[in-house]
Amino acid sequence: MKNLLILLLLCAGLSVQAKKPLTADPKASKETVKLYQRLQKLQQKGTMFGHQDDLPYGNDWYDQPGRSDVKEVCGDYPAIFGWELGHLELGNAYNLDSVNFEKVIVWIREMNRKGAIQTISWHLRNPLTGGTAWDVSNKRTVASILPGGPKNELYRQYMDKLATFLLSLKDDKGHYIPVIFRPFHEHTGSWFWWGKDLCTPEEYKSLWRYTATYLRDTKNIHHLLYTYSTGTVNSVEDYMERYPGDDLIDMVAFDAYDYGGNFAASLQKNCEIVTTVAAQKNKIPAVSETGANLVKNPDWWTRTLLEVIRPFHMSYALVWRNAFNNKKEIPYAPYKGSPDEQDFLKFYNDPKTLFLKDIQ
Ligand code: BMA
């Protein structure tokens, strides 16, 4: 009898645990929960390759339907597609990198149909000064847009535009397409108005909570997985300093670029940090942005990136855009004829890396 009682109590305990939602949003849509589960599974298989703005343009082309620098090199698409929403808040038809928002919706739909995964960043303008996301001239910006602040109403209008865009992401069956949303990134540095020296940890966390709960509870948006994405840090404590809370975050990630120095050591350290946090909190770790000067480092893909990430279960590593419109910015993905082409093929053929065909 006593044993039976213990068994019953154990079962009750297990079922309570089983009911705990996987995603931060307890009302996450079926497709969103599925995406989360898929990410968990894929993480065991390998690390997905991602590319920012893979379809809108490439190293020397713009808006040529069907083109992708990555596909032209290795014959496959990235598994993760990065999209950018900066200037959506202004009501513009094009983002800050000259990409048409209506087309982004069509591309997201198309790549979702093909089984690819979408992630969204947002270099939104500074609501207090009217400057860009990089305008760090005023330390009151974050405080000014929180409830009670002088720019709260303007920020709410920004979020309304964001919500309208997110609610237009539907698949052929009319279900919302789940996306990984990664706002207020690299906040451990001070180059964006939401950065470290521009607000207190409490203000930063409030900004996150205010934004995520507005989208979730006021706008009824339940097809997002939220990513907390720092720059490189030195410890779990540094990583967690501005963490908004387990009830808001699904993925723990960081951005790290190879601009020389001991990049491999820093990449490894940050992989260790997010892996530790992810394991403790049952979240998914990723390298949300990376890249290197591939002219100087033509074998960076295998010698640095792959070698460092191999022992980890990072969900994905996304490289930044091939900026057709800004020749001062180096291309971060390979393209036909780029000096890193051969090494990228090795990277592509390694079983650890996952491209679109590997996740279908
Ligand atoms: C930055 C640079 C900018 C770009 C922005 C948003 O890192 O690539 O040129 O406007 O990302 O995509």
Side-chain angles (χ1 to χ4, degrees), residues 109-123:
R109 225 175 259 157
E110 180 191 332
M111 295 325 289
N112 180 65
R113 200 181 300 126
K114 291 194 163 117
I117 296 166
Q118 324 296 322
T119 175
I120 287 178
S121 53
W122 191 21
H123 291 74

Side-chain angles (χ1 to χ4, degrees), residues 20-292:
K20 199 172 158 244
L22 266 183
T23 51
D25 178 358
K27 288 195 194 157
S29 68
K30 208 172 85 204
E31 290 73 22
T32 311
V33 173
K34 259 200 193 150
L35 173 60
Y36 193 90
Q37 289 167 330
R38 189 170 167 224
L39 290 173
Q40 282 184 317
K41 233 178 155 177
L42 285 169
Q43 197 191 330
Q44 300 310 319
K45 189 173 167 195
T47 295
M48 289 184 278
F49 177 74
H51 185 209
Q52 184 75 2
D53 278 350
D54 188 72
L55 300 178
Y57 54 82
N59 183 51
D60 59 0
W61 56 271
Y62 171 75
D63 197 13
Q64 296 184 18
R67 289 197 69 177
S68 150
D69 278 348
V70 169
K71 188 161 186 271
E72 285 167 21
V73 168
C74 70
D76 198 0
Y77 285 112
I80 301 272
F81 284 77
W83 306 100
E84 165 61 34
L85 298 187
H87 289 188
L88 180 78
E89 68 283 1
L90 302 179
N92 291 5
Y94 288 81
N95 80 3
L96 74 169
D97 302 319
S98 313
V99 180
N100 182 279
F101 288 118
E102 288 300 322
K103 286 194 178 171
V104 171
I105 296 172
V106 175
W107 278 313
I108 288 183
R109 225 175 259 157
E110 180 191 332
M111 295 325 289
N112 180 65
R113 200 181 300 126
K114 291 194 163 117
I117 296 166
Q118 324 296 322
T119 175
I120 287 178
S121 53
W122 191 21
H123 291 74
L124 70 163
R125 302 215 26 141
N126 184 320
L128 181 59
T129 65
T132 68
W134 292 267
D135 181 353
V136 290
S137 61
N138 195 313
K139 292 191 182 206
R140 300 296 300 154
T141 302
V142 172
S144 79
I145 65 179
L146 292 171
K151 293 293 173 185
N152 177 244
E153 180 51 33
L154 179 63
Y155 183 58
R156 264 199 311 149
Q157 288 167 12
Y158 283 11
M159 287 194 292
D160 288 344
K161 294 201 180 79
L162 170 67
T164 304
F165 176 88
L166 294 170
L167 290 168
S168 65
L169 299 176
K170 287 190 180 169
D171 66 16
D172 302 335
K173 292 187 195 137
H175 298 146
Y176 290 117
I177 298 170
V179 296
I180 297 169
F181 183 48
R182 187 176 69 92
F184 314 126
H185 63 301
E186 297 180 7
H187 60 283
T188 46
S190 299
W191 45 87
F192 294 129
W193 56 256
W194 55 83
K196 195 177 167 84
D197 293 343
L198 288 303
C199 58
T200 66
E202 283 323 306
E203 284 167 347
Y204 180 80
K205 289 183 204 177
S206 300
L207 174 63
W208 250 98
R209 186 159 294 278
Y210 180 54
T211 306
T213 55
Y214 187 79
L215 295 173
R216 189 188 67 191
D217 305 333
T218 307
K219 291 287 169 181
N220 232 340
I221 292 176
H222 301 291
H223 57 289
L224 305 181
L225 293 178
Y226 290 90
T227 301
Y228 174 72
S229 168
T230 63
T232 51
V233 294
N234 291 315
S235 64
V236 168
E237 291 66 42
D238 283 353
Y239 187 81
M240 295 303 291
E241 192 203 27
R242 290 167 187 237
Y243 181 72
D246 289 341
D247 60 330
L248 299 179
I249 299 300
D250 296 292
M251 300 187 77
V252 284
F254 64 93
D255 293 359
Y257 285 87
D258 189 348
Y259 294 133
N262 202 347
F263 173 73
S266 157
L267 180 64
Q268 180 176 338
K269 173 132 207 148
N270 282 269
C271 285
E272 279 164 14
I273 291 170
V274 291
T275 302
T276 305
V277 173
Q280 279 168 2
K281 298 179 165 294
N282 197 22
K283 309 288 178 194
I284 296 173
V287 185
S288 36
E289 282 183 38
T290 188

Side-chain angles (χ1 to χ4, degrees), residues 311-347:
F312 297 99
H313 293 289
M314 305 302 286
S315 169
Y316 71 84
L318 176 142
V319 295
W320 206 240
R321 62 202 202 101
N322 283 359
F324 77 101
N325 58 348
N326 184 354
K327 282 300 148 210
K328 276 194 226 124
E329 236 176 283
I330 51 174
Y332 291 105
Y335 54 89
K336 237 355 255 135
S338 68
D340 54 306
E341 220 182 326
Q342 289 314 311
D343 189 59
F344 188 78
L345 280 173
K346 282 193 215 152
F347 176 83

